[in-house]
């Protein structure tokens, strides 16, 4: 098909999207408005109270008195925002946060961005152009994007193509990876693998093994660990860093989020050396031409980082995993990701209508979750996504399991955990 007749990705997405999401919003199965909350109980603008399994703040830190106090104090001192790029002027909390994050990540170097998407947009062009001193590129680049890598990386395909070929791989399939690496070897190119540490919809990837395989091929791994941060690892360094024995391999970069389990807002990147930081802060598009995190959130991030460096983070991690294990045990490991290191469990349905109906039944039982359809997952299917927190009470977990059992007894069924891995 020539360029003129080829459909762009957004048109394809639009054509494939059904009106199921609109219906789910209309019925307030998703997209509802929250006016109040206490722990995991939320009150919507219709005055109804639900238990939510939606939030990605898996450790409940966004409600921590230290974060709230830090935000209030910072606002009183500097106002809500210092509106300028960090190169021109920055709140004192930015440097404090980067130093604390560096401590959490074993002394490696950290740069903070306003979001994880902005980390990708800022850092990947620097990596692909061979501009980062610790990540030299001497041959043409070949990007390998994992099929489950987050949409914030997939959408950059057009940007990445300016630096080299782009292929899709399945990192959970050894043959797919080996084939891709063979192709790179044949073409004398440098493979750069882009993956999620813990998928937002799927399970975990073997980061350490992939790092070794890419290293043997002279390549790099770039890991988005947005969902892995805080919930495991020393000082809550997250899934990726802990699965690497808390050491950053020479060929690996971690991108992560401050807006999920960390309890604050923003994103950051972990690189090998201060020289990489100098390049990132002077050249990354989203830093040079963007503002820094707003003052109260930046100060809250600092307070959260300090908590990460205490034993309190372990207590919260322990309570989170106690809740997840309770759910897995009571539900007989019957949901996606059961027994795994992801804090998310999923019920996948063969068709959108069944998933929709089950979300509706759970809502009527006082439980809200995140129902997702295409383009989050493959066309025609539905996934009910349950995010767990250390703040869920035992009776809330038991209620969820009992509700799922009742729904199953009414004739609804979801695919077994090994059924289908959704494509994001
Ligand atoms: C794995 C992953 N990466 C990146 C993002 C984007 O994060 P941000 O909103 O900070 O850009 C998300 C958000 O949901 C995510 O789940």
């Amino acid at each position: 098909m020539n360029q003129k007749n080829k459909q762009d990705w957004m048109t394809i997405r639009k054509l494939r999207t059904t009106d199921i999401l609109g219906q789910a919003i209309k019925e307030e199965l998703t997209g509802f408005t929250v006016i109040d909350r206490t722990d995991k109980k939320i009150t919507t603008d219709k005055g109804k109270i639900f238990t939510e399994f939606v939030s990605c703040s898996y450790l409940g830190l966004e409600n921590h008195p230290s974060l709230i106090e830090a935000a209030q104090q910072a606002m009183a001192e500097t106002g809500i925002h210092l509106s300028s790029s960090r190169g021109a002027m920055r709140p004192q909390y930015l440097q404090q946060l980067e130093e604390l994050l560096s401590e959490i990540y074993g002394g490696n170097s950290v740069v903070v961005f306003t979001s994880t998407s902005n980390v990708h947009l800022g850092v990947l062009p620097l990596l692909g152009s061979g501009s980062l001193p610790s990540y030299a590129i001497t041959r043409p680049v070949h990007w390998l994007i994992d099929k489950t890598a987050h949409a914030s990386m997939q959408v950059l395909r057009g940007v990445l193509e300016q630096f080299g070929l782009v292929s899709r791989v399945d990192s959970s399939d050894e043959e797919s990876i080996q084939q891709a690496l063979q192709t790179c070897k044949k073409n004398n190119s440098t493979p750069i693998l882009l993956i999620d540490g813990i998928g937002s919809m799927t399970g975990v990837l073997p980061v350490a093994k992939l790092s070794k395989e890419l290293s043997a091929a002279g390549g790099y791994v770039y890991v988005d660990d947005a969902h892995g941060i805080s919930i495991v690892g020393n000082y809550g360094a997250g899934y990726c860093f802990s699965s690497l024995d808390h050491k950053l391999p020479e060929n690996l970069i971690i991108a992560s989020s401050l807006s999920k389990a960390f309890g604050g807002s923003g994103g950051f990147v972990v690189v090998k050396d201060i020289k990489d930081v100098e390049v990132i802060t002077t050249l990354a598009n989203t830093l040079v031409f963007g503002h820094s995190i707003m003052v109260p959130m930046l100060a809250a991030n600092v307070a959260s980082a300090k908590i990460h460096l205490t034993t309190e983070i372990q207590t919260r991690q322990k309570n989170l995993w106690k809740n997840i294990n309770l759910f897995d045990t009571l539900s007989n490991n019957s949901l996606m990701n059961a027994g795994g290191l992801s804090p998310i469990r999923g019920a996948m349905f063969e068709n959108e209508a069944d998933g929709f109906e089950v979300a509706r039944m759970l809502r009527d039982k006082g439980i809200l979750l995140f129902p997702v359809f295409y383009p989050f997952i493959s066309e025609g299917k539905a996934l009910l996504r349950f995010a767990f927190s250390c703040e869920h009470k035992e009776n809330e977990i038991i209620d969820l399991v009992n509700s799922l059992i009742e729904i199953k007894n009414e004739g609804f069924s979801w695919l077994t955990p090994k059924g289908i891995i959704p494509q994001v």
Side-chain angles (χ1 to χ4, degrees), residues 74-320:
M75 259 192 305
E77 283 165 5
T78 331
I80 285 183
H81 193 30
L82 274 186
S83 182
S84 79
S85 89
R86 61 181 277 161
M89 170 169 71
R90 66 196 82 165
Q92 58 176 317
Y93 311 104
L94 185 57
Q95 190 182 342
Q96 290 171 19
L97 178 60
E98 287 176 348
E99 284 173 4
L100 290 163
L101 285 169
S102 169
E103 211 177 312
I104 291 170
Y105 284 91
N108 291 290
S109 300
V110 173
V111 187
V112 165
F113 289 69
T114 47
S115 69
T116 313
S117 304
N118 277 342
V119 176
H120 302 332
L121 191 51
V123 174
L124 290 174
L126 291 171
L127 178 60
S129 61
S131 306
L132 296 177
S134 308
Y135 304 86
I137 306 260
T138 52
R139 300 169 292 160
V141 159
H142 190 149
W143 304 96
L144 306 174
I145 310 190
D146 185 79
K147 65 174 197 170
T148 62
H150 192 256
S152 52
M153 289 190 276
Q154 307 275 1
V155 77
L156 297 181
R157 191 179 183 113
V159 172
L160 302 178
E161 276 169 350
Q162 295 169 32
F163 303 93
L165 284 175
V166 180
S167 304
R168 255 183 145 212
V169 291
D170 177 357
S171 308
S172 62
D173 174 10
E174 185 61 26
E175 211 178 300
S176 167
I177 282 290
Q178 287 309 329
Q179 243 174 34
L181 295 181
Q182 278 303 321
T183 304
C184 292
K185 190 175 175 188
K186 210 171 75 197
N187 297 341
N188 194 29
S189 54
T190 302
I192 304 181
L193 178 65
L194 309 185
I195 55 172
D196 283 5
I198 291 184
S200 58
M201 302 285 156
T202 56
V204 300
L205 284 176
V207 176
K209 177 171 153 284
L210 290 167
S211 165
K212 281 192 192 120
E213 287 174 345
L214 267 286
S215 174
Y220 298 109
V221 186
Y222 179 92
V223 188
D224 177 338
D225 202 31
H227 286 274
I229 188 171
S230 309
I231 60 169
V232 285
N234 297 347
Y235 307 135
Y239 165 70
C240 178
F241 198 58
S242 64
S243 72
L244 295 162
D245 284 336
H246 298 89
K247 288 183 201 89
L248 192 71
E250 300 290 330
N251 72 327
L252 193 135
I253 291 177
I254 301 174
S256 198
S257 172
L258 301 167
S259 311
K260 299 186 190 287
F262 202 82
S265 175
F268 65 94
V269 65
V270 186
V271 283
K272 278 308 294 178
D273 201 89
I274 192 73
K275 289 201 192 83
D276 303 311
V277 169
E278 281 161 22
V279 172
I280 293 169
T281 50
T282 49
L283 291 177
N285 211 57
T286 43
L287 289 188
V288 179
F289 299 101
H291 60 82
S292 53
I293 297 172
M294 292 176 83
V295 171
M297 296 313 293
L298 205 47
N301 287 336
V302 170
S304 177
K306 286 180 181 163
I307 292 170
H308 278 68
L309 290 160
T310 69
T311 52
E312 183 175 344
I313 205 73
Q314 292 161 20
T315 310
R316 286 178 182 261
Q317 288 175 345
K318 224 182 277 165
N319 289 338
L320 169 68

